[in-house]
Amino acid sequence: MSKANSTETRQREEEDEQGSAHGAAGEQLSTAPREERPDTGAGVPAMSVIGWVRWFWRQLTSMRVALILLFLLSLGAIPGSLIPQTSVDDMKVQAFKEQHTTLTPVYEALQLFDVYSSVWFSAIYILLFVSLIGCIVPRTGQFVGQLRSRPPGAPKRLTRLPAYTTWRTEAEPEEVRAAALAMLRGRRFRGHEVGDAVAAEKGYLREAGNLVFHIALIVMLIAFASGQLFKSEGGKLVVEGDGFSNTLTQYDDFKSGSLYDADSLAPFSFVLDEFVGTYEKSGPQRGTPRTFEARVTYAEGADGAERKGVIKVNEPLVVDGTKVYLIAHGYAPVVTVRDGKGKVVSKSAVPLLPIDNNITSSGAIKVMDGYKDKNGKKTQLGFKAFFVPTFAGHGKGQMFSQFPALDFPVLALSAYQGSLGVDSGLAQNVYQLDTSKMKEFKDEDGELLKKMLMPGEKLDLPDGAGSITYEGTEEWASFQISQQPGNGWALGGAIAAIAGLAGSLFIQRRRVWVRAVRGTDGVTVVEMAGLGRSESAKLPEELGDLSAALVTTAPVAPAAPEKPDAADTPDGSAATDATNEAGSRPVHPADAPAEGAEK
């Protein structure tokens, strides 16, 4: 019983030594803040307000809460991608509200039409920002302190560490330690000699990568916020031969961040010289664009020199930090309107909006000024227009384009007269015709006057009211002009985050100790052990390589003669084994004695 109790006592002592060895050797391998555990004993007094504030701050700045907030931010962005946003396309939002009358009040209450400016999204955003800063600042200070400090000394029992090897050598202990220090420094370990051992450490970039990753997240958050606050974005449709000047009055639509200053619009202008579009003519990809580019002449500033440029899809024109994107293309029939006396009232290229991939287009032609009827009374004309660049032919189905190129253009018109409603002061869609205050022109059968025209043909209005002639077709291109200052920072932050994450995942921080002492028989005993922040199969392999390199300087001593067992000695006492566990050869860390094993 006494022997069993003695064995149990020794095992407990060895476990305590193992825990203390790992604790001493492994401390400060991580800069993660230590989690303070509250005392669970009875009679714990209630925390004060300051105590609750400290507790809340510790929870908010923990990595666990930061990950939860990052996950919530990702979830919050989902409705912003699936539901139309007012800041992106107000027309789509209005159409969604008309189609979903039941969901609209719920979405409005939850601010789902303005996700990125909503109260709940902003709260998550700000909390994540504060959490990351509160987590990074103390860890950065701890990490800097570790960089300035030296690796700790060797534990008392190196055999208790995860990777261990040992051998005997005839070299002097001082020579072994000097060779070990030089060898470790040659392999980019930070090392120094402490007592009878050499302590070295490597893999600091793991924690540096972790910090870089979180700092990059902060940079991305700042870039996103600045991009939303200081951005500007507008659209402009330009017909061939027309131009654009970067002023507010020139935009068809314009949106900007809440802190954007209209005076900061970059001064430049451009003219659309030509739009070039070619399409696949056969095969399963018939009609797919092959060439899709806008050729422009642009100038920076009011008096800048003119330059030629080409704008393609995803290849914008960049002028003074402002990007001009090509986003759409269509056709603008050129029409001439004459009154009853043959006087030209209007002649212009009227852009029509595509309704399918073959650029079948619809719109309205409006004559607001200069027209008088046969009685000399001023009135207004309106025409509903339907255009196909490639007509299938009469009697070959509905009037839809068969190909997006301008191969067989046909313009279908229906005529109205009266008030267009533009004098009411209310905003009006230029591509739609409001006929509520207009009368139809009638044909000989008393039906709405309408006709299909090819280039050069005209539609005569009844009773000498005039005519409209389809002269030809121009092409137009739609551009998005945007200025978003945070894009470069966001890209840099994303690249840094990927690099930091890769470093924190693939770099292992580890420590190596080499102890060299003279044995009782006068032969030097060398011990090497390694400890990593996390378990890894590479640590024993690396320690094996290090020991193999050190053996070249401190070669293995010849094996000592075996001593007789204690039972064979004359006095019956146990013989002292001057050899180590490995005898006279190095032991690979994978073959090292198990923890707690009998020696």
Side-chain angles (χ1 to χ4, degrees), residues 173-514:
E174 295 78 7
E175 296 177 1
V176 175
R177 290 194 290 268
L181 182 59
M183 181 266 296
L184 290 170
R185 286 179 175 174
R187 301 201 178 197
R188 299 190 300 277
F189 278 83
R190 292 179 59 216
H192 67 117
E193 190 171 345
V194 185
D196 60 358
V198 172
E201 188 169 359
K202 188 178 182 180
Y204 287 89
L205 288 179
R206 177 187 179 94
E207 187 62 28
N210 192 17
L211 293 174
V212 167
F213 171 73
H214 292 91
I215 293 174
L217 289 182
I218 294 180
V219 172
M220 292 172 66
L221 290 175
I222 295 176
F224 178 78
S226 63
Q228 293 296 315
L229 293 174
F230 297 97
K231 73 174 183 179
S232 68
E233 184 177 280
K236 179 62 177 180
L237 187 150
V238 182
V239 179
E240 287 179 333
D242 291 343
F244 167 79
S245 179
N246 194 28
T247 59
L248 283 178
T249 57
Q250 288 281 299
Y251 282 93
D252 295 332
D253 58 86
F254 184 84
K255 296 178 181 179
S256 62
S258 57
L259 299 181
Y260 183 79
D261 184 6
D263 294 336
S264 62
L265 284 172
F268 71 92
S269 60
F270 69 87
V271 175
L272 177 60
D273 299 325
E274 180 185 14
F275 179 86
V276 179
T278 60
Y279 308 90
E280 187 68 33
K281 293 184 176 296
S282 61
Q285 294 187 338
R286 184 176 185 271
T288 303
R290 294 304 179 207
T291 304
F292 201 84
E293 60 186 35
R295 299 174 182 176
V296 300
T297 300
Y298 68 98
E300 298 185 39
D303 301 321
E306 292 187 347
R307 304 177 184 176
K308 296 291 183 179
V310 177
I311 306 175
K312 301 179 181 179
V313 177
N314 297 326
E315 295 183 17
L317 173 69
V318 182
V319 183
D320 195 13
T322 301
K323 295 183 178 180
V324 182
Y325 293 90
L326 173 64
I327 60 175
H329 157 257
Y331 295 104
V334 180
V335 295
T336 301
V337 179
R338 295 178 172 84
D339 59 14
K341 298 180 179 180
K343 177 184 176 182
V344 175
V345 176
S346 172
K347 183 176 182 180
S348 62
V350 183
L352 303 180
L353 296 182
I355 60 175
D356 61 18
N357 292 333
N358 287 326
I359 319 186
T360 302
S361 307
S362 65
I365 300 173
K366 302 178 182 181
V367 180
M368 293 175 286
D369 299 309
Y371 176 78
K372 296 180 181 180
D373 61 13
K374 61 181 181 180
N375 298 321
K377 181 180 178 181
K378 290 185 177 181
T379 187
Q380 296 174 332
L381 298 178
F383 302 87
K384 287 184 177 181
F386 196 87
F387 176 78
V388 290
T390 301
F391 184 47
H394 295 283
K396 294 185 179 180
Q398 298 179 349
M399 186 179 172
F400 282 92
S401 180
Q402 305 301 303
F403 194 70
L406 204 64
D407 293 341
F408 188 5
V410 171
L411 176 65
L413 299 174
S414 54
Y416 299 81
Q417 65 175 341
S419 175
L420 293 170
V422 295
D423 299 329
S424 62
L426 299 177
Q428 190 178 90
N429 192 329
V430 296
Y431 303 104
Q432 295 180 351
L433 184 65
D434 182 8
T435 60
S436 59
K437 297 181 180 180
M438 305 190 77
K439 295 181 179 180
E440 300 176 351
F441 280 105
K442 301 294 184 178
D443 58 14
E444 297 177 353
D445 299 328
E447 301 293 335
L448 173 64
L449 179 64
K450 53 187 177 181
K451 186 178 180 180
M452 296 171 58
L453 306 176
M454 289 188 291
E457 296 182 344
K458 68 177 180 178
L459 169 63
D460 291 321
L461 302 178
D463 300 327
S467 65
I468 179 171
T469 304
Y470 173 30
E471 306 286 356
T473 309
E474 298 285 352
E475 299 189 51
W476 59 259
S478 181
F479 300 94
Q480 176 181 297
I481 299 95
S482 62
Q483 185 178 4
Q484 200 157 4
N487 284 348
W489 285 99
L491 177 60
I495 295 174
I498 294 174
L501 183 61
S504 64
L505 291 177
F506 298 108
I507 297 175
Q508 182 185 13
R509 189 169 175 189
R510 63 274 194 198
R511 285 176 178 159
V512 173
W513 292 272
V514 181

Side-chain angles (χ1 to χ4, degrees), residues 583-599:
S584 61
R585 63 179 180 85
V587 178
H588 193 279
D591 301 326
E595 296 178 2
E598 293 294 335
K599 306 296 186 291

